[in-house]
Amino acid sequence: MAVKTNPKSLADHVNGVKKGQRMFEDAFQGVSRMILDAGIRKITVKGKTTYRFDLFSQGKKHLVGMYDEINSFVSFVKDASEGGSSREMAFVLVGEPGNGKTFFVEYLCARYREFLSIPENRKYTFKFINLKKLGGYGKIEFIESQTYEDPMILAMNMEETREKSMAYLAKKHRFTEAQLESLYASYRPLGACSAYIWDQIREVCDGDVTKMLSFIEVTPVPLIESLGTITGKYPAKDKITSSAVDLMGEESIQRLLHISDSNNPYRFDLRRGALARVAGGGIHFSDEIYKNKKDLVQVYLGVIQNRMIELDGFKWPIDTLIIATSNNSEFDTFLSEREEAPIVDRCRICYVAHNTDYKIQKTLTEYAIGADIKRSLDHEVLHQDPNLNYATSVGVVLTRLPRSEKLTPVETMKLAAGEVAGEKSLKTLAELIDSLNQDTDITKRFGQKGLGQRNLGRAVQLLLESSETNEGRCMFALDIFNALERTVLDYVHEPADRAKFMEDLKIARGLYRERIMTEMFNAYMDEPLAIKKDVLNYVNMIIGVDAEHLGPDMMWKYKDPQTGELKALKIDERYIKNVEERLGLKTEEQKASFRNSIRKIYGQKLSVDANYDFMDNLELVKAITDVRLKSDIAGAGSLIGALANRTNEENQKLYDRMISTMHDKLGYCRTCAQKTIEYFCSQEDDK
């Protein structure tokens, strides 16, 4: 006959934990297990090896970049889960507004709630029932553990002493010595009210454990986000209305009407505060922690160090991961007041930089533009210029990169995205980052200053409300620069920063111009990847030009790394020479050096990525574009001249053909196709 089980009984819960059907772990262990079980891979970022945790890449809107910050956080939680000093610390993210600090914490909290909703990970607590038998509680019929204590904490405090409780678990539930040792490594006493009521129950039952257990019911911790249980956020309020009550709770007049015993700690309503609701293995998120007034920060001081809620001498141990955020200026103000040093001493400060990889920024820019279909003010569908994301991403990323004598802004940008930057190597960038990160002024460190995600959002709003966008029914890429400049003028208050950002946006315009040259060539050739093919042809030519088996017909056979097919290519030395002249390579030594660097990149990159196409080598792409445009339309003058002067039929036909290619094959609408050609014909932003 099967033994009857009661999932609400403490005995069943203890057996479930022993068999591994239910979990007993603290907040640090839970978060650590959640992150590490989701998967981890090794990657190289800015010339250094780091780790990418799959948990933070899940869902439609996930964390982008932030590798160093995530690594710091995982290391912090892992150390705390293994009993390290991090257990007595809070993790504080400090950085510029709009760089993803709050999003990081809210994303983590959402994943943690999902993780705990899996049945085997669910958190449990207990409540005291049958209170009428105890007397002295008026109309209060049951009392839930105010800090959502785990039933195992009650089991470990079953008897009056720790030794007796261990003996009870060994006898009743057959725990081995090793199991008990492992269990009691996470021991903590019961909170004041639970211990007081349990003691009353012991007295009423004359110490009979079987009778005592009839007063206990095990219940799941609610995962309702709006209740603030498991994950709770405490935003910094204004100085007058905020008080320690918001965190700790207070004496409840309502409860005093029922409880006759004035010594009973249950007269304090802990759930009135934010901490008790996340005290059962949850995450407490303190937004803008250093904006709080001093007495609240002092409260945090005790809570972080001791993991304890203390009221009128009563103590309630809490099991909480405390994460906070702060912006640079608030943190600096706080640090300048020397007497506040102890709280910073109990915090693991992690400085959050802006994203400085323009390729990764593409996803963040998509977040800012939004996934929904955009409409004009008169409710017509707005088209998005295919170059809009590139122009926006390059514009904002350049503002986040510090100036350096070793690297130009474009070289820094390309190296930060893991691309080729001429002769400059990732080592140069790594040295630059290291030297900048030695600075005591945080804002001078790599990626700490620049246009953040909120400013990017404002620029997109300005673009959407402009008359050009609404009239043409298209978000034209060139217009985003005006919107970004407007944002810099309105929202950047430091004159030096404003001047630098304006200069960065000029450089971004130049990069946009170069991209348009490439697009025009593709449109002219009626082939979306025309320029890419020409770049790869040039690369293959300079590899084949020195080949031993090259015949007098200059035909070279090679294996295509993308397809693995054998291909034949005629080496055109005049074409190679023209490209190298455009690159400004005059002497034979310069040409030989450049060819060797291309061969070296070919060897390094293609062994890792067979689809590498050299399109990140902007100088080479620009030179090949110029050579092809010049040679292909030599008879009709330049392409610019042909497109600008459409008085003859030939030029008009060329214009119409290019417009239809851009529309049908390159993703342009008629408005942005015409505007792009117009911009191409102007000498604007041409270096």
Side-chain angles (χ1 to χ4, degrees), residues 396-493:
V396 292
V397 164
L398 279 167
T399 66
R400 298 167 185 173
L401 300 171
R403 288 276 192 268
S404 154
E405 290 170 12
K406 292 181 180 177
L407 296 165
T408 67
V410 176
E411 283 172 342
T412 311
M413 181 188 89
K414 286 164 74 176
L415 288 170
E419 292 184 345
V420 176
E423 293 295 303
K424 303 288 168 57
S425 69
L426 273 170
K427 191 168 179 283
T428 317
L429 179 70
E431 284 168 6
L432 171 68
I433 293 171
D434 283 343
S435 66
L436 286 169
N437 288 354
Q438 299 301 317
D439 204 312
T440 49
D441 181 355
I442 308 308
T443 57
K444 288 183 180 158
R445 293 184 186 180
F446 191 82
Q448 284 288 344
K449 261 190 183 174
L451 292 177
Q453 197 67 0
R454 286 197 198 113
N455 283 328
L456 169 53
R458 288 184 190 113
V460 172
Q461 286 162 22
L462 288 170
L463 176 69
L464 286 167
E465 70 188 37
S466 72
S467 56
E468 289 87 351
T469 302
N470 284 284
E471 286 297 307
R473 291 174 192 162
C474 175
M475 296 160 76
F476 179 47
L478 186 64
D479 293 338
I480 196 71
F481 293 113
N482 297 332
L484 286 166
E485 282 166 13
R486 182 81 261 150
T487 306
V488 170
L489 291 169
D490 292 351
Y491 295 97
V492 179
H493 306 299

Side-chain angles (χ1 to χ4, degrees), residues 113 144-149 221-234 237 245-249 269-284 309 318-320:
R113 303 185 78 84
E144 203 169 45
S145 162
Q146 291 207 81
T147 52
Y148 292 111
E149 290 157 302
V221 175
L223 281 172
I224 304 160
E225 192 174 352
S226 49
L227 287 179
T229 53
I230 294 297
T231 58
K233 178 178 174 181
Y234 181 75
K237 298 179 186 172
V245 170
D246 298 339
L247 285 176
M248 316 285 269
D269 181 5
L270 263 57
R271 301 259 180 100
R272 162 85 174 77
L275 284 168
R277 279 175 269 159
V278 294
I283 300 173
H284 175 71
I309 295 174
I318 63 170
D319 163 26
T320 311

Side-chain angles (χ1 to χ4, degrees), residues 337-355:
E337 298 167 13
R338 296 278 179 212
E339 71 271 16
E340 299 303 333
I343 181 80
V344 179
D345 195 45
R346 290 186 175 101
C347 295
R348 162 75 168 85
I349 307 291
C350 175
Y351 295 104
V352 183
H354 288 291
N355 170 51

Side-chain angles (χ1 to χ4, degrees), residues 215-257:
F215 285 85
I216 296 295
E217 191 175 280
V218 172
T219 169
V221 175
L223 281 172
I224 304 160
E225 192 174 352
S226 49
L227 287 179
T229 53
I230 294 297
T231 58
K233 178 178 174 181
Y234 181 75
K237 298 179 186 172
D238 65 85
K239 306 287 184 205
I240 300 164
T241 58
S242 65
S243 73
V245 170
D246 298 339
L247 285 176
M248 316 285 269
E250 64 180 344
E251 200 165 42
S252 165
I253 295 164
Q254 219 174 355
R255 284 185 187 173
L256 285 171
L257 295 172

